[in-house]
Amino acid sequence: MSNSKILVTGASGQVGQVLYRHLVGLHGEDHVVASDIHQLDGFSIFEYMDITNQHRIREVIQRHKIDEIYHLAAILSANAEQNPTRAWNINMSGLLNILEAGVEFSIKKIFFPSSIAVFGNHANLDMTDQFDAQHPTTLYGISKSAGENWCQYYAEKYDLDIRSLRYPGIIGYTTLPGGGTTDYAVHIYHEALKQKKYECYVHADTVMPMIYMDDALRATSELMAAPKKNISIRTSYNIQAISFSPSEIADSISTYIPDFEMSYKIDFRQTIADNWPRRLNDQYAQNDWGWAPRFDLNKMTKEMLENLTLQPTIN
Ligand code: SER
């Protein structure tokens, strides 16, 4: 147990809910404040907080004497394309509000999730380097790319200890994703168990980088626990875990559900996926704080199917 008082923004989201529980496990429930515009059951301390409302952010930080923030509130890639203004307000103004509050209240550490979406087709998408060209083609990617630079600026100018990961698509069994391009890799497991079939919106051979939720949580807490002197990247770290295509995940599911059937109906998310890395070089994460994934595709499939079988499938 620690003495930190932690605020999680976007705590009702796909990652927020699970990260909240993970942090409660590490620090104790009195030390973690969940915040979002939707309240769910299961939060010991919850504050309604719209991330675009700076006054409210200040109030919550003061009331709970917050000294560490995990800023997860964001609009994901597919949803951002449908609502640019909302994506700008939440992804950009929301981050700026957190950074400003970070300076004002001398917040000790801030976590900002960035994304593989910061890269575009001027990067080497087969093995994207830490400092590869960023020409994002989605509003979400543009906001995360700018966000990384805002973070680095605040880290350098104000010595704010902001740490960040470029999350790949995150796959877990307790929560559903909310409007990303990598969402299929979660929905496919639910549908495989429910209907033994899935209609995928990207081509069979479209490879995207993904990560199992346990690995994503561990990466986040290992990064946050690393000594400050080890953190050489103040924009955001590349992390690599598993890269696969829809046909490969379908094959992996078929080893457990032999009559599983995959079909394809391609939509606008194909263009997004085509401009994202297929695999990333994560040597800085390995060297600076010892990153190594533990789940490969088949181990993840086994865990997903076993756990989803034990608990009711979410619709
Ligand atoms: N999973 C995210 C998305 O698809 C990528 O960061 O939007």
Side-chain angles (χ1 to χ4, degrees), residues 115-117 119 125-126 128 166-171 181-185 206-212 239-245 272-273 275-281 300:
S115 167
I116 53 169
F119 297 107
L125 297 179
D126 284 320
T128 309
R166 290 178 182 141
Y167 280 146
I170 301 180
I171 299 164
T181 303
T182 55
D183 292 13
Y184 90 84
T206 305
V207 173
M208 283 191 268
M210 306 277 183
I211 188 168
Y212 189 52
I239 51 167
Q240 173 64 32
I242 327 169
S243 289
F244 58 80
S245 65
I272 299 179
N275 288 290
W276 280 1
R278 292 177 271 282
R279 172 172 288 277
L280 299 99
N281 178 341
M300 177 175 79

Side-chain angles (χ1 to χ4, degrees), residues 26-269:
L26 292 174
H27 303 276
E29 62 182 9
D30 295 342
H31 290 264
V32 190
V33 178
S35 71
D36 205 300
I37 52 170
H38 308 288
Q39 180 165 8
L40 302 175
D41 293 339
F43 295 132
S44 303
I45 311 173
F46 178 82
E47 291 284 358
Y48 176 89
M49 199 173 84
D50 176 345
I51 202 65
T52 63
N53 183 340
Q54 195 173 19
H55 174 72
R56 181 69 184 138
I57 295 171
R58 298 176 76 249
E59 210 171 62
V60 170
I61 290 176
Q62 276 174 308
R63 177 177 309 155
H64 294 280
K65 301 188 170 48
I66 297 295
D67 56 18
E68 198 167 318
I69 301 175
Y70 289 75
H71 175 46
L72 299 188
I75 304 291
L76 291 187
S77 59
N79 280 356
E81 296 302 305
Q82 313 303 328
N83 197 336
T85 311
R86 187 154 183 263
W88 173 270
N89 289 337
I90 293 177
N91 295 8
M92 295 306 333
S93 304
L95 173 62
L96 183 59
N97 287 341
I98 291 294
L99 295 175
E100 282 291 307
V103 175
E104 181 179 349
F105 296 103
S106 304
I107 300 295
K108 288 194 193 121
K109 272 190 230 173
I110 298 177
F111 176 73
F112 168 67
S114 184
S115 167
I116 53 169
V118 297
F119 297 107
N121 58 13
H122 294 283
N124 172 10
L125 297 179
D126 284 320
M127 181 52 94
T128 309
D129 279 332
Q130 175 65 40
F131 298 107
D132 225 324
Q134 292 191 13
H135 296 283
T137 53
T138 57
L139 293 168
Y140 174 70
I142 292 168
S143 71
K144 289 293 182 188
S145 179
E148 289 187 1
N149 288 310
W150 280 94
C151 288
Q152 178 171 254
Y153 178 90
Y154 273 72
E156 282 173 6
K157 182 159 183 185
Y158 300 107
D159 196 28
L160 259 190
D161 190 357
I162 309 167
R163 306 180 182 200
S164 174
L165 297 174
R166 290 178 182 141
Y167 280 146
I170 301 180
I171 299 164
Y173 57 86
T174 45
T175 51
L176 285 174
T181 303
T182 55
D183 292 13
Y184 90 84
V186 180
H187 290 136
I188 192 172
Y189 288 112
H190 291 266
E191 295 304 310
L193 286 169
K194 250 196 310 193
Q195 317 207 43
K196 297 190 178 183
K197 61 179 183 185
Y198 181 70
E199 187 176 83
C200 187
Y201 53 79
V202 287
H203 286 301
D205 58 357
T206 305
V207 173
M208 283 191 268
M210 306 277 183
I211 188 168
Y212 189 52
M213 184 67 86
D214 289 27
D215 272 343
L217 294 177
R218 194 170 47 76
T220 307
S221 39
E222 286 177 5
L223 170 69
M224 292 302 273
K228 195 175 171 189
K229 63 174 174 34
N230 292 15
I231 307 297
S232 68
I233 302 293
R234 287 297 179 177
T235 47
S236 189
Y237 280 95
N238 276 6
I239 51 167
Q240 173 64 32
I242 327 169
S243 289
F244 58 80
S245 65
S247 71
E248 287 166 327
I249 192 174
D251 287 348
S252 171
I253 290 172
S254 297
T255 60
Y256 298 92
I257 306 173
D259 46 352
F260 175 67
E261 278 175 34
M262 188 84 152
S263 59
Y264 295 89
K265 190 174 173 199
I266 308 308
D267 71 16
F268 71 101
R269 288 169 282 192

